[in-house]
Structures are given as C-alpha cells and as structure tokens.
Amino acid sequence: MKLHLLRYFAVLAEELHFGRAAERLAITQPPLSSGIKALEDELGVRLFERTSKHVKLTAAGTAYLAEVRIVLDRVARAGETARAVAAGLHGRLDIGFTGSMVYRDMPAIVRAFGAHAPGIEVNLREMSSNEQIEALLHRQLHAGFLNAGTVPPRLASLPLADDHFVCCLPDDHALAQAAAVDLRALAEETFVMFSREVAPANHDNVIALFQRAGIHPHTRHATRQWLTVTALVAMRMGVALVPASMAQAAVKGVRFVPIAGLRHPTVGVLAWHESAVTPALRAFIGAAAEHPRG
C-alpha cells in the first residue's frame, strides 16, 4: 500500500468534497478519484458513499480513518526524528568526567547544551582521566572531560577554561591567613598528593611546581580525586597544591591561598575520538567551543 493513498484518503475524509480535497493535496480530481478507488480495491471495502451531490464516510471508512491518522502521525514523527538526529538535536551521548570537573566549566557546558538540544539525553559517567582515555579509544564514550594537556593519537581535544594551582592549608595553619605563600616556606611540610597512576598530568603538574620552587617536599597519601586531597587537608593530614576551582567545593576546615611568584595552569580538556563524531556529538563539541574561557 502506497503512503500517498493514505494521505488522499485522510484529506478526503476531512473535506468530504473531491474538489476541496484535491486543492489541499495540490493535485487534480482524476488522480484523487482513481487513488481512492485503488485503495478501496486493495482493502476490498467501500470507504466512502459518494453521489453527484455528496461524499460520506462509510462505517468501515470511519474505522479506517482512526487507524490511518495514527500511521500518518507516526510517519511524520519518524521524519522529524530523522531530521533531528541528522541535525544533532536528538539522540544520546555518554560523557565521561573526572570528579574535579564538577567544579570547573563542565556543568555549565552540559546545561547550555541541554537548553540548545533538549532532545539529546546526556549521561555523565565519573571516571579517572586514564579510564576515560581507554574508553574513548575503544569508543565506549562519546567524549570526556579529563585532566590532561595532550591526548593520544586518534583522539581530538578542546581546551577548557583556565584554572591554576593554589595552596590548600588547614584553616589553623600558620600561613592560612597570608595573602600569598612562598612554596619554600612549606618545604618541611607533608604534602598530600594525587596518584600518578590515576591522572599523570595532575601529579606531574604538582611536581613541576615543586621543582620550580626548588624544593623536594615529603609527599604521601596518594589519592584519586582532588576533593579527597582537600578533605585530607581539612583532617590535618598534610597540606596540598590543588586547583583554585576546588574552593567551590566549600570543604570546611581549609583555606586556599595563592602561590607567591608562581602561577601554573591546571590542565583540562574535552576529548573525543576523531573517527566517531556523530551529529549529536558535533553539536556538543560546538557548545563546549562557545563556552567562555576567560
């Protein structure tokens, strides 16, 4: 059965007049008449009672109209869905993120994208940077917010808004109220560190700051998340260097103090597989690219 015959039938059932129906369909009356006859012949029932003066639905035609309207509506919605998917406005995205990205621009990017493309379901999955990279390489994620300066071949990336390291001190520390802290003043302290196995870039950036300051501090308590680092400092387990954005976590018992004479960025990117870009992902990357970085 041809779809255009169902449209002919539905319009004629609404107009109950061949001339008006043909005009709505932008065709002449002969093909409309022959189309209705072909439909009736295929079904083996009369859909209309027609005379020279009037057109009326039969009982079979009335019942058939209800079903035809459902079919035509589903066909229309299928077309809208296909066009929305092609335009990147419908579908599903699995997006990875590290815990600290909650305090950076990841939430704002996801919210802005949701407002632009409400038909796309975004599922967030918390994973370490290394876990995300493996998942992206195996196409188990569409994209990921991770702590890295560079990504492996086959992955593409977009830098996130700038963040930088600050000292995280217990609020009763002797330097907690200082306007800035020289790292050399903390040379004898115990530092809580980020595990290199989880996110090499986070660990190496902190080590680079120590080297620039010319100190070799005692480090311990390797953690998997910046929030854990901050919590351990609050419990007086040491001091730490953390991203300034961690202040948004509002952990009680700590102070975040700028590093005197040193400003070192904390790396962060949105990464994805170069060969696995869908229309929905392209739209998500576009939303991330438009997010302010200042």
Side-chain angles (χ1 to χ4, degrees):
M1 186 177 295
K2 295 182 179 178
L3 189 62
H4 74 280
L5 297 183
L6 298 184
R7 294 195 178 99
Y8 286 5
F9 166 74
V11 172
L12 182 58
E14 292 169 4
E15 297 292 342
L16 295 177
H17 188 281
F18 275 89
R20 291 194 299 269
E23 185 176 351
R24 272 183 59 184
L25 291 164
I27 60 175
T28 59
Q29 290 189 45
L32 175 58
S33 296
S34 62
I36 295 299
K37 184 179 184 306
L39 184 58
E40 290 177 325
D41 289 345
E42 184 170 347
L43 293 172
V45 298
R46 287 182 61 80
L47 300 172
F48 296 95
E49 293 177 0
R50 41 197 182 271
T51 68
S52 60
K53 294 185 178 180
H54 75 276
V55 177
K56 181 182 178 181
L57 279 167
T58 64
T62 300
Y64 191 56
L65 177 60
E67 299 297 329
V68 165
R69 282 175 171 162
I70 293 173
V71 171
L72 292 178
D73 179 64
R74 287 180 176 173
V75 169
R77 283 190 285 119
E80 291 170 0
T81 299
R83 286 187 289 273
V85 170
L89 300 176
H90 188 83
R92 167 184 168 137
L93 290 174
D94 293 314
I95 307 295
F97 71 101
T98 61
S100 62
M101 289 297 168
V102 170
Y103 306 107
R104 296 187 66 170
D105 40 354
M106 183 269 286
I109 290 171
V110 173
R111 284 196 302 268
F113 178 70
H116 170 69
I120 298 179
E121 177 185 336
V122 176
N123 294 298
L124 297 174
R125 297 170 56 186
E126 184 177 2
M127 307 167 69
S128 72
S129 294
N130 280 352
E131 289 169 341
Q132 287 186 66
I133 288 173
E134 284 300 310
L136 289 169
L137 289 172
H138 290 90
R139 307 192 186 196
Q140 296 167 344
L141 283 178
H142 290 100
F145 291 91
L146 49 95
N147 302 105
T150 59
V151 295
R154 293 184 290 161
L155 298 186
S157 65
L158 180 73
L160 300 178
D162 290 340
D163 197 359
H164 61 280
F165 282 100
V166 295
C167 292
C168 179
L169 306 174
D171 58 8
D172 58 358
H173 192 281
L175 297 174
Q177 304 302 320
V181 174
D182 188 323
L183 283 188
R184 290 172 295 184
L186 301 175
E188 301 304 317
E189 299 275 359
T190 295
F191 278 80
V192 182
M193 282 292 292
F194 203 101
S195 171
R196 194 178 193 283
E197 293 181 359
V198 176
N202 284 339
H203 181 276
D204 293 349
N205 272 326
V206 172
I207 295 300
L209 276 169
F210 292 150
Q211 291 175 341
R212 287 173 62 187
I215 63 174
H216 301 280
H218 176 59
T219 62
R220 63 179 181 181
H221 308 312
T223 71
R224 295 178 59 87
Q225 298 185 40
W226 287 121
L227 186 59
T228 307
V229 172
T230 306
L232 288 175
V233 173
M235 291 186 288
R236 311 301 187 266
M237 304 295 287
V239 300
L241 302 183
V242 304
S245 57
M246 288 306 302
Q248 296 180 51
V251 175
K252 294 182 180 180
V254 298
R255 294 276 297 179
F256 299 93
V257 185
I259 302 171
L262 291 175
R263 185 177 176 87
H264 193 78
T266 63
V267 291
V269 298
L270 172 66
W272 63 91
H273 198 294
E274 293 180 318
S275 302
V277 179
T278 64
L281 178 55
R282 186 176 296 108
F284 188 83
I285 295 167
E290 292 175 2
H291 187 72
R293 284 173 174 70

